[in-house]
Amino acid sequence: RLVSARGPEPKGSFELLPCSFREEMQRLHGANMDEDGGCCSGMRLWNTEFCMAVYGAGTVSLLPCEGAGDVPAQLISLRDGQLMWKEESACVAP
């Protein structure tokens, strides 16, 4: 499972760690509006204001969620068990 870098605020890149159902830093849920004004065009770290984002050379990081859903870097969704970026243009993988 992917988890965020630790610190006072979740930020930075992701790393692979053993799975733990008790670890909130391994939980994600939908976030940000989609193009129809509903939910969800992004993935948020559980119980935070930080979303997965892809900038630069395909690095996945955590940044403050852009609730309007108009930031292409945060267009990440869960489809068929895979984290997809920008309407299936790429999958999130370790």
Side-chain angles (χ1 to χ4, degrees), residues 17-85:
L17 291 177
C19 295
S20 170
F21 291 108
R22 292 178 284 215
E23 179 60 60
E24 287 189 2
M25 298 299 274
Q26 293 184 5
R27 297 180 190 168
L28 299 168
H29 62 89
N32 302 342
M33 285 190 290
D34 63 18
E35 60 187 27
D36 298 325
C39 189
C40 299
S41 67
M43 297 299 291
R44 177 187 307 251
L45 187 61
W46 181 261
N47 205 25
T48 72
E49 296 296 320
F50 294 91
C51 286
M52 296 177 76
V54 179
Y55 286 101
T59 301
V60 179
S61 57
L62 282 173
L63 294 173
C65 295
E66 300 289 343
D70 58 354
V71 176
Q74 292 187 7
L75 297 178
I76 298 174
S77 60
L78 183 63
R79 294 189 198 138
D80 298 324
Q82 296 179 320
L83 287 171
M84 309 292 283
W85 178 57

